[in-house]
Amino acid sequence: MGSTGNPHVALIAFPFGTHAAPLFSLTAALATAAPSATFSFINSGRSNASLARDISAVPSGANIRVYDISDGCPDGYVLPVHNPEEEVGLFLQAAAVNIREAMEKAVEGAGGRRISCIVSDAFIWFAGKMAEEMRVPWVPLWTGGPYSLATHMYTDFLRLKFGEQVTPSRLSEPLDCIPYMSALQVRELPEGIVFGNTDSVFARLVHSMAKELPHATTVALNTFHGLDPAVDADLDTKFKHTLSIGPLHLLTPQPPQPADSYGCVQWLDNHAPATVVYISFGTIMSLPPPEAAALAEGLEASGVPFIWSLKAAGQAYLPSGFLERTSGRGLVVPWVPQLKVLNHPAVGAFVTHCGWNSVMESVTGGVPMICRPFLGDQRLNAGVVSRVWKIGAGFEGGIVTTGAAEKALRLVLMEDGGKAMRERVGKLREMAIGATKPGESSTNNFQALVEVICGY
Ligand code: UDP
């Protein structure tokens, strides 16, 4: 338990993908809930720069201090091409030393107040070792979904069952060796468990994480009570203590959204309920060019109005004349205020890569999904969306073709199957909103988390 005087909490982010933002939102919520505690947020300078809007929304004089650490790239080093594996590897190599130094600075910055608790992204598993040495609690935040966390916890078991490299013919087998995963398939596991490079930086990272998490004081989860009861019950047996505090974007104060520079919301105001498809593949992934062209053709063929979050580089792959031909019923813009758009009644479907933040945001917007997952936990999330919660569908054949796009759009936006998905996701939406109301599960769990972290 943290010191009961004036706690000093170090929060350590994983500076890739959409990982640091939820941890910073949690920091802001904790800082409001525990005004006499100090919160030192430690993250790479580059990732902190991408959180500038969130950080600048913190009132001056607030009890949050932000510390930059190096991203591990030697001075003058330029990555040959965007290479996530190499970037993560370089960061991790230097991370332990850099984080320790930042914690020393944080103690100085807090007038010598020693660190009383470490909260970290669960990927920063070695924060558990640091906390143990410092004899303070460690509270990892798992920013993904409970199913993907469970697959990491079962890595050794799955390798015993399928081998480190499953034979291709077994990829379509159900994952019924974990009873609540029987609707999912081996191929939907994150790579690095029983296929792909099981010795990659990332595979080793999550494997180490799975070994360390059972020692954590409390594991905080971005999910909510009632969404996946069987998974939650199982995770409860793996960890000392878990607290579901999601959906985090409903529970924590959200920074001001970027201005709606492209007028998406106003554009949606002119559309009937549940008629528009919103398309985004998150902050890292983009559709391979032939699939982007096929999606554009499918949109044209279906006649469905759309908003597509697509950077200028991706727009170059659209079929010639597409933007002009669809200008009356489509918006293609480089950035969309996703939370607002998914909460707009006109949006009736979300074509998504199934990053966990997008999945949670779609659920709380009550919007069924059309899934095009790429890597990591995205395939598993897509399987859960389509076959466990039944609030979405995939593209036939797993990739976007013109025909598959047209079919999926029609199913979700125009057919009875889509109507049933909308009803089911509407129920989950109510459950999610309910969980974050005063006196309800996620709010109560957040209070319990404040107690674990701050000692009061
Ligand atoms: N996002 C957004 N506008 C866009 C594209 C993405 O606001 O045009 C946000 C989205 O709301 C979500 C995040 O970016 O919170 C993407 O997170 P996710 O976990 O889905 O995917 P990742 O970027 O980590 O692959």
Side-chain angles (χ1 to χ4, degrees):
M1 193 59 60
S3 79
T4 48
N6 286 319
H8 179 187
V9 183
L11 300 105
I12 307 166
F14 182 73
F16 301 97
T18 309
H19 270 257
L23 187 69
F24 192 79
S25 298
L26 179 63
T27 307
L30 290 167
T32 306
S36 61
T38 298
F39 295 86
S40 296
F41 184 79
I42 298 169
N43 187 19
S44 79
R46 193 146 49 114
S47 176
N48 272 337
S50 75
L51 295 180
R53 186 184 305 276
D54 311 46
I55 292 171
S56 63
V58 173
S60 65
N63 48 344
I64 300 180
R65 290 150 204 269
V66 175
Y67 293 88
D68 286 355
I69 58 171
S70 157
D71 54 16
C73 296
D75 282 346
Y77 182 85
V78 181
L79 287 168
V81 276
H82 174 61
N83 180 341
E85 179 83 8
E86 189 169 331
E87 285 177 51
V88 173
L90 286 167
F91 171 76
L92 290 174
Q93 264 171 33
V97 170
N98 289 338
I99 290 167
R100 276 183 218 280
E101 273 175 22
M103 286 202 283
E104 280 167 25
K105 276 196 203 135
V107 170
E108 255 173 61
R113 207 189 282 182
R114 74 172 189 90
I115 286 164
S116 52
C117 177
I118 299 181
V119 177
S120 77
D121 192 296
F123 283 172
I124 307 287
W125 60 271
F126 44 92
K129 303 273 184 230
M130 293 176 178
E132 198 182 326
E133 281 166 25
M134 292 158 69
R135 295 173 190 274
V136 298
W138 174 45
V139 178
L141 169 68
W142 175 252
T143 61
Y147 275 89
S148 63
L149 179 54
T151 63
H152 295 305
M153 299 312 296
Y154 279 108
T155 294
D156 291 334
F157 170 77
L158 290 166
R159 285 180 182 171
L160 272 178
K161 176 148 176 69
F162 295 103
E164 277 213 12
Q165 290 298 328
V166 62
T167 44
S169 61
R170 301 191 72 185
L171 284 169
S172 52
E173 279 185 24
L175 273 170
D176 51 7
C177 54
I178 306 168
Y180 54 79
M181 292 208 196
S182 55
L184 301 166
Q185 292 179 0
V186 176
R187 68 170 80 251
E188 289 172 319
L189 287 169
E191 53 279 271
I193 295 183
V194 294
F195 56 81
N197 183 356
T198 52
D199 196 37
S200 70
V201 169
F202 203 71
R204 280 185 277 129
L205 169 87
V206 282
H207 200 203
S208 304
M209 174 195 79
K211 294 199 157 64
E212 194 63 31
L213 286 180
H215 305 296
T217 310
T218 297
V219 179
L221 301 166
N222 184 12
T223 182
F224 53 91
H225 181 74
L227 182 63
D228 300 303
V231 195
D232 294 348
D234 189 27
L235 290 178
D236 280 348
T237 68
K238 308 248 173 291
F239 304 130
K240 283 189 202 160
H241 185 217
T242 62
L243 287 171
S244 295
I245 54 166
L248 267 176
H249 67 276
L250 293 187
L251 191 92
T252 56
Q254 287 303 294
Q257 291 267 298
D260 183 10
S261 328
Y262 305 97
C264 298
V265 171
Q266 205 184 358
W267 185 88
L268 286 169
D269 287 342
N270 295 321
H271 288 83
T275 53
V276 175
V277 60
Y278 165 57
I279 304 160
S280 167
F281 301 98
T283 57
I284 304 168
M285 303 314 305
S286 45
L287 272 185
E291 288 189 59
L295 182 54
E297 283 163 9
L299 285 167
E300 277 202 86
S302 67
V304 166
F306 61 89
I307 296 186
W308 192 342
S309 170
L310 187 64
K311 300 260 182 288
Q315 293 186 19
Y317 298 113
L318 296 175
S320 124
F322 169 77
L323 292 175
E324 295 74 26
R325 287 195 299 279
T326 57
S327 64
R329 64 174 178 86
L331 273 188
V332 180
V333 297
W335 185 257
V336 168
Q338 181 163 307
L339 270 174
K340 281 191 192 146
V341 163
L342 286 171
N343 277 290
H344 195 290
V347 175
F350 179 17
V351 175
T352 171
H353 67 313
C354 292
W356 188 248
N357 293 298
S358 290
V359 170
M360 281 288 99
E361 291 166 13
S362 204
V363 164
T364 59
V367 179
M369 285 162 259
I370 302 175
C371 310
R372 173 40 175 115
F374 295 86
L375 46 76
D377 62 348
Q378 297 161 10
R379 284 181 298 266
L380 202 74
N381 295 342
V384 172
V385 163
S386 307
R387 297 192 305 282
V388 179
W389 303 335
K390 301 188 170 75
I391 59 166
F395 289 94
E396 214 169 61
I399 58 163
V400 188
T401 60
T402 307
E406 202 187 338
K407 200 166 166 188
L409 289 167
R410 284 189 192 286
L411 167 68
V412 176
L413 285 163
M414 300 169 198
E415 294 172 10
D416 285 349
K419 201 168 155 229
M421 290 175 197
R422 194 157 300 108
E423 280 166 12
R424 283 190 283 267
V425 73
K427 289 195 182 124
L428 294 185
R429 173 178 196 264
E430 277 170 29
M431 210 190 267
I433 293 173
T436 52
K437 288 204 167 129
E440 298 301 331
S441 58
S442 288
T443 311
N444 291 345
N445 285 345
F446 175 72
Q447 287 310 326
L449 189 71
V450 173
E451 213 172 297
V452 172
I453 292 173
C454 299
Y456 61 79

